[in-house]
Amino acid sequence: GNFKKALDLFDCYKIGLTATPVSSSVPLKEIYKDIVLGPSVSWGIENGFLVPSKDIGQREILDLKKQNGEFTSRSQRDAFKFCKMDQIMFKLWSQHALTRKTVCFNIDIEHNNEMMELFELHGIKCGAVDSKMNREKRDEEIRRYRDNEIQIQ
């Protein structure tokens, strides 16, 4: 992908940092000589850097395709539509977190917008943050969430 092309422009020592050590376009072992893993999620929780998650879901066996170790966005979107997972997720959220502030991670920007529309359709105030957003708008969305103007980010 573009990531590898950009790195190839520079003839120098490269250091990369990531929270998700799996690339959907190029395996990281093809780019970096050594990969150093940081602390585990359980260590982060135990030491106050992460909060424990409460996972509430419905067991569905989804037929998802992988590319470089990650599920493809397309196969996730197709499976979600087929199984009506957005509505299931909204129902579960309504049952377990209706009065709580929530951060919702979605498949991609398009799915993020669809989920935001679903929540807004039910009168839930929400916002979105994504990688295409300029810094001012992103900061404003985060401020709205922090200041309780919206319930879901």
Side-chain angles (χ1 to χ4, degrees), residues 88-100:
I88 292 169
M89 289 169 42
F90 180 81
K91 181 181 175 187
L92 287 167
W93 176 83
S94 297
Q95 292 170 345
H96 298 279
L98 183 62
T99 60
R100 301 181 72 179

Side-chain angles (χ1 to χ4, degrees), residues 102-115:
T102 305
V103 176
C104 183
F105 293 93
N106 297 301
I107 297 168
D108 54 24
I109 294 171
E110 183 180 348
H111 185 239
N112 201 43
N113 293 333
E114 291 169 3
M115 288 301 293

Side-chain angles (χ1 to χ4, degrees), residues 108-149:
D108 54 24
I109 294 171
E110 183 180 348
H111 185 239
N112 201 43
N113 293 333
E114 291 169 3
M115 288 301 293
M116 191 167 69
E117 288 175 16
L118 177 62
F119 280 99
E120 288 174 341
L121 181 69
H122 289 86
I124 308 298
K125 292 180 181 178
C126 54
V129 174
D130 64 59
S131 61
K132 305 284 186 211
M133 195 176 272
N134 71 46
R135 185 174 186 91
E136 279 182 10
K137 180 149 176 53
R138 184 172 51 243
D139 289 348
E140 174 62 13
E141 286 297 305
I142 292 169
R143 183 205 59 76
R144 290 177 63 222
Y145 182 75
R146 187 179 48 241
D147 292 347
N148 298 315
E149 292 176 22

Side-chain angles (χ1 to χ4, degrees), residues 8-152:
D8 288 343
L9 293 173
F10 302 95
D11 182 25
C12 63
Y13 190 77
K14 297 166 183 82
I15 298 174
L17 303 171
T18 182
T20 55
V22 177
S23 169
S24 60
S25 58
V26 179
L28 295 179
K29 64 183 177 187
E30 290 182 16
I31 298 169
Y32 300 105
K33 180 180 172 187
D34 296 307
I35 296 179
V36 178
L37 297 176
S40 67
V41 171
S42 59
W43 183 93
I45 293 169
E46 290 164 7
N47 289 276
F49 293 101
L50 300 172
V51 296
S53 67
K54 182 176 183 183
D55 300 322
I56 300 166
Q58 178 164 329
R59 266 217 188 286
E60 290 286 336
I61 305 299
L62 303 177
D63 182 24
L64 302 176
K65 292 182 175 63
K66 284 186 175 184
Q67 180 180 348
N68 295 327
E70 294 230 353
F71 297 120
T72 65
S73 293
R74 183 74 197 166
S75 72
Q76 289 179 71
R77 291 183 61 65
D78 290 346
F80 266 53
K81 282 190 181 180
F82 180 77
C83 296
K84 299 182 178 172
M85 291 298 289
D86 292 353
Q87 289 77 17
I88 292 169
M89 289 169 42
F90 180 81
K91 181 181 175 187
L92 287 167
W93 176 83
S94 297
Q95 292 170 345
H96 298 279
L98 183 62
T99 60
R100 301 181 72 179
K101 286 177 68 170
T102 305
V103 176
C104 183
F105 293 93
N106 297 301
I107 297 168
D108 54 24
I109 294 171
E110 183 180 348
H111 185 239
N112 201 43
N113 293 333
E114 291 169 3
M115 288 301 293
M116 191 167 69
E117 288 175 16
L118 177 62
F119 280 99
E120 288 174 341
L121 181 69
H122 289 86
I124 308 298
K125 292 180 181 178
C126 54
V129 174
D130 64 59
S131 61
K132 305 284 186 211
M133 195 176 272
N134 71 46
R135 185 174 186 91
E136 279 182 10
K137 180 149 176 53
R138 184 172 51 243
D139 289 348
E140 174 62 13
E141 286 297 305
I142 292 169
R143 183 205 59 76
R144 290 177 63 222
Y145 182 75
R146 187 179 48 241
D147 292 347
N148 298 315
E149 292 176 22
I150 56 179
Q151 182 178 354
I152 297 179

